[in-house]
Amino acid sequence: MLSRRRLLVLGGLTGGVALAPFVQSGDTRNAQPQHGPMHGRMHGAAHDHAGRVPAVRSGPAVTPFSVRMPVPATRIPSVQTADTDIYRMSVQPATAQILPGLSTPVLTYGGAFCGPTIRARRNRRTLITFDNKLGHETNVHLHGGRVAAVHDGYPTEVIAPGSGRAYLYPNAQPGATLWYHDHAHHLEAENVYRGLHGFYLIDDEDERRLGLPSGGYDVPIMLRDALFDDAGNLVFDPADPYNRPTLLANGKPQPYFEVAARKYRLRLLNGSTHRVFELTLDGARMTQIATDAGLLPAPVPVDRLVLSSGERADIVVDFGQAPLGGHVTLNDVAGPVLRFDVVRRAADRSRVPAQLRPMSPMPTAVQDRKLVLSLDPVNIRALINDRVFDPARVDMQVRRGTTEIWEVTNSDTNVGGSGFGVPHNFHTHLSHFLLLSRDGKPPLPGEGGWKDTVLIQPGETVRLQVDIGSHLGRYVYHCHMLEHSALGMMGQMEIVN
Ligand code: C2O
Ligand code: CU
Ligand code: CU
């Protein structure tokens, strides 16, 4: 099924309207002013869907705030040894109730559409055996995890149908909101789209002492989009990733969530394979406390949060700012995502300290590199430095324990002469990085912590200081718009001594 779909994509993209699918129709302006001539065109495209002829325009209409948002269940380890939590989880097809009154076939971890949440503790190991009960290959990658190469879910190291594989995660890293998802080469976009995604949270003693909202007031929320047909089936069209009009929060369309009038920590993840969420909160203020790899040095008040595929932001929201019985709404530029209904009072002894986690100084970078991301619509390929991913080719050798400066450019201001630009983003496995600048300008305050994924607008160059990490072996880096990594926008580094 997957390979037939891929053929359709390739065929579809070589036709006369070939470029439409690659071209952004949503409005994904970043908080920074746009650079270059493309902004006007991209912005115009948000109001002009001409040229796109999707097979399914939109699924069944859903009344916003008519279903409750669930919180994904936390998985209990099946065995706990002195230093390891041991889990077993199947990767299996299932049926989910996503749209009211309809059943949707999905792919799942453990039967649950968003996947169970794994809660790990810093410096205590997690061992998870995943049993592949799908009819095709899969593998598992812990996004944001610093794990040995053999446990990283390398794209060609897959789990054959009917077999299992154990992944060991040391959790030797500060507390953070991570997630796990499929990474089987060429299949990752569809596998993740169909549901192979779940939260993986690392708890940290130092973090606990800060007194941030915790327990039931610490809520992971996976945001993503989808396209459904009228029968409720998920439609995966990698050639038209911008036509996914249904917004899901923890697997439900534009749900509501009942909260107490107090502070909550909300761990927001963009689990879409392509969409850039541009979020605002109506009725209360957002304070960002963490980004991809964990706590920021200090809390940052934010009006607007831009999250590209794979990025996370932890925010604290005080629902005590709203009246009892009132609503606070999380909105994307495309529409409301989630409504918080303030239904009860509750004691609140949590706090948001002025200092969260000091940034540890980084050793001086030993190497500069330039990476250029581009689409090749003529040959239906997606490239880094003009090459598609080749597992047999090492694109760079890097030295363990060092830092490097990587300048990553999105050169797609005018894809195939269409006059349209497309955004990309950039994700590194194993290594975390600091965003030093965007086109020479300082990053937003909320981007000031350790990250593993960064949005890059058309024509933009981000400058990263990459902390390579302490493992050896081959790790990939790629555009996390997974329709692009599936077409080859991925490279690999080999970490040597
Ligand atoms: Cu979230 Cu290489 O992945
Ligand atoms: Cu990753
Ligand atoms: Cu991309």
Side-chain angles (χ1 to χ4, degrees):
M1 180 178 80
L2 291 157
S3 56
R4 189 177 59 82
R5 283 184 186 283
R6 288 199 66 238
L7 287 175
L8 284 174
V9 179
L10 300 184
L13 287 177
T14 53
V17 288
L19 292 167
F22 268 152
V23 169
Q24 173 72 316
S25 63
D27 187 338
T28 64
R29 287 162 300 150
N30 197 4
Q32 320 265 334
Q34 286 291 311
H35 321 292
M38 285 324 304
H39 178 50
R41 295 298 296 272
M42 278 186 63
H43 188 64
H47 310 286
D48 174 15
H49 291 238
R52 296 191 310 116
V53 192
V56 182
R57 271 170 200 84
S58 61
V62 182
T63 311
F65 321 129
S66 56
V67 291
R68 202 180 61 81
M69 182 186 80
V71 178
T74 299
R75 189 83 158 193
I76 309 294
S78 46
V79 179
Q80 292 189 290
T81 69
D83 63 356
T84 310
D85 292 339
I86 301 173
Y87 299 83
R88 185 147 206 150
M89 211 185 293
S90 56
V91 191
Q92 60 181 84
T95 299
Q97 309 303 312
I98 300 173
L99 303 173
L102 293 171
S103 292
T104 301
V106 288
L107 306 182
T108 69
Y109 293 115
F113 176 55
C114 267
T117 297
I118 304 289
R119 274 207 178 250
R121 271 171 36 209
R122 184 177 187 178
N123 293 326
R124 180 175 168 79
R125 308 186 309 171
T126 305
L127 180 71
I128 314 182
T129 301
F130 287 93
D131 293 305
N132 182 0
K133 295 179 179 161
L134 306 173
H136 61 269
E137 292 169 341
T138 186
N139 71 0
V140 183
H141 168 59
L142 179 61
H143 181 130
R146 306 199 96 169
V147 314
V150 68
H151 295 293
D152 193 51
Y154 188 84
T156 55
E157 283 180 24
V158 292
I159 314 171
S163 49
R165 179 174 179 132
Y167 293 85
L168 181 66
Y169 303 137
N171 305 310
Q173 62 186 87
T177 301
L178 311 185
W179 61 304
Y180 59 104
H181 64 77
D182 173 90
H183 219 299
H185 193 31
H186 299 311
L187 308 182
E188 67 269 39
E190 178 157 9
N191 279 344
V192 173
Y193 179 83
R194 294 196 180 280
L196 296 185
H197 45 41
F199 276 103
Y200 185 104
L201 312 179
I202 300 181
D203 290 329
D204 177 332
E205 257 323 302
D206 293 342
E207 188 169 320
R208 189 199 306 274
R209 279 194 282 268
L210 295 176
L212 295 162
S214 61
Y217 305 109
D218 171 358
V219 181
I221 302 175
M222 184 189 300
L223 305 178
R224 56 160 292 176
D225 59 7
L227 174 65
F228 294 91
D229 67 16
D230 288 332
N233 299 299
L234 278 170
V235 179
F236 177 68
D237 181 357
D240 195 6
Y242 302 113
N243 183 34
R244 293 172 183 164
T246 302
L247 304 180
L248 304 175
N250 285 345
K252 297 290 186 187
Q254 297 171 297
Y256 68 87
F257 186 64
E258 294 186 340
V259 293
R262 53 155 288 158
K263 289 191 286 304
Y264 279 68
R265 175 183 190 159
L266 307 175
R267 300 174 185 255
L268 305 177
L269 156 68
N270 183 349
S272 309
T273 60
H274 219 92
R275 175 182 292 270
V276 178
F277 278 99
E278 228 183 284
L279 302 167
T280 51
L281 196 68
D282 205 4
R285 288 185 294 278
M286 301 190 275
T287 301
Q288 188 176 352
I289 57 166
T291 177
D292 302 333
L295 291 176
L296 295 167
V300 177
V302 286
D303 294 330
R304 198 160 141 282
L305 264 179
V306 179
L307 285 183
S308 66
S309 169
E311 283 187 288
R312 289 85 74 205
D314 292 16
I315 58 174
V316 172
V317 176
D318 186 356
F319 293 106
Q321 292 167 353
L324 213 56
H327 305 307
V328 173
T329 312
L330 184 67
N331 298 296
D332 178 55
V333 282
V337 175
L338 168 60
R339 190 183 71 192
F340 299 94
D341 296 352
V342 185
V343 294
R344 61 177 194 280
R345 293 181 208 286
D348 187 1
R349 295 171 58 191
S350 71
R351 53 190 216 106
V352 182
Q355 304 301 321
L356 295 169
R357 180 191 298 149
M359 293 299 291
S360 35
M362 268 209 277
T364 312
V366 297
Q367 180 80 42
D368 283 10
R369 299 182 197 272
K370 288 192 192 322
L371 300 172
V372 178
L373 314 183
S374 62
L375 295 173
D376 171 8
V378 175
N379 301 299
I380 323 299
R381 301 183 309 165
L383 314 171
I384 297 182
N385 289 351
D386 293 323
R387 304 206 272 198
V388 291
F389 177 65
D390 179 353
R393 186 191 68 231
V394 170
D395 296 284
M396 58 171 90
Q397 273 200 337
V398 300
R399 209 163 282 285
R400 152 154 80 180
T402 62
T403 77
E404 300 194 350
I405 302 290
W406 294 8
E407 276 192 3
V408 192
T409 299
N410 172 357
S411 69
D412 278 324
T413 53
N414 181 12
V415 181
S418 64
F420 289 98
V422 296
H424 293 294
N425 72 2
F426 187 73
H427 168 55
T428 46
H429 283 218
L430 183 70
S431 308
H432 295 160
F433 54 76
L434 285 183
L435 176 57
L436 301 179
S437 64
R438 291 179 175 279
D439 282 347
K441 298 185 208 75
L444 300 173
E447 297 179 317
W450 289 106
K451 289 184 64 60
D452 57 50
T453 307
V454 61
L455 176 63
I456 317 176
Q457 294 289 1
E460 191 172 50
T461 295
V462 295
R463 198 173 153 84
L464 313 175
Q465 185 166 1
V466 183
D467 175 11
I468 297 300
S470 57
H471 290 89
L472 296 174
R474 294 184 181 187
Y475 292 86
V476 295
Y477 46 86
H478 56 91
C479 177
H480 209 283
M481 296 179 179
L482 297 178
E483 287 78 3
H484 294 170
S485 59
L487 289 177
M489 192 175 281
M490 180 156 63
Q492 66 178 324
M493 60 179 176
E494 180 172 39
I495 304 173
V496 298
N497 244 322

